[in-house]
Amino acid sequence: MTGAYQFTHAAGYEGGIVLTNAILHLPRKADYTFFPWCTYTDPELASIGMNETAAKESGLKYAVWTEEFKNNDRGLAEGEGLGRIKLVLDAKEKPLGCRSSDCTQGNLSANGSLP
């Protein structure tokens, strides 16, 4: 609807907001703070929330935690060493965002959408 995200789940989310505002007269705005997306390439790429650039621009104190999938139980079980996960955490270690790439990221991206 807005064109900010070119995904069907974005259109569904935005359509729900339009209907709520127009039909029910309950004012709502779109909040993309933890909007998940996945691009089905090889490896798959997924993102939720802020990346490092956005965290830096916001002026927040943040830390970055990165793990390669070759060191991860799932990566070992799948026999895949390609990919990594990167978490952007605030000063209290609350997740601000998550970026990852691997062979099955479409399956894993829902895990990172839980604030």
Side-chain angles (χ1 to χ4, degrees):
M1 305 281 279
T2 66
Y5 292 94
Q6 301 290 312
F7 299 102
T8 55
H9 62 289
Y13 171 67
E14 293 165 351
I17 290 172
V18 169
L19 286 173
T20 301
N21 289 332
I23 307 289
L24 301 177
H25 304 289
L26 299 172
R28 287 180 58 202
K29 293 181 181 178
D31 180 2
Y32 299 104
T33 303
F34 289 102
F35 187 80
W37 60 261
C38 182
T39 302
Y40 295 99
T41 56
D42 189 12
E44 293 175 9
L45 306 171
S47 176
I48 299 168
M50 289 184 161
N51 60 20
E52 288 179 78
T53 303
K56 182 181 269 187
E57 290 173 355
S58 72
L60 293 171
K61 290 186 179 185
Y62 68 93
V64 177
W65 177 82
T66 304
E67 182 177 343
E68 300 293 325
F69 275 111
K70 65 183 177 186
N71 302 326
N72 179 284
D73 290 343
R74 171 92 182 238
L76 293 170
E78 295 281 334
E80 283 288 336
L82 183 63
R84 68 179 176 171
I85 187 166
K86 182 188 289 188
L87 296 174
V88 178
L89 308 168
D90 70 7
K92 295 183 179 181
E93 296 187 351
K94 178 182 173 188
L96 296 172
C98 178
R99 302 283 178 277
S100 56
S101 64
D102 84 342
C103 63
T104 59
Q105 196 46 50
N107 296 327
L108 295 176
S109 61
N111 296 332
S113 66
L114 303 173

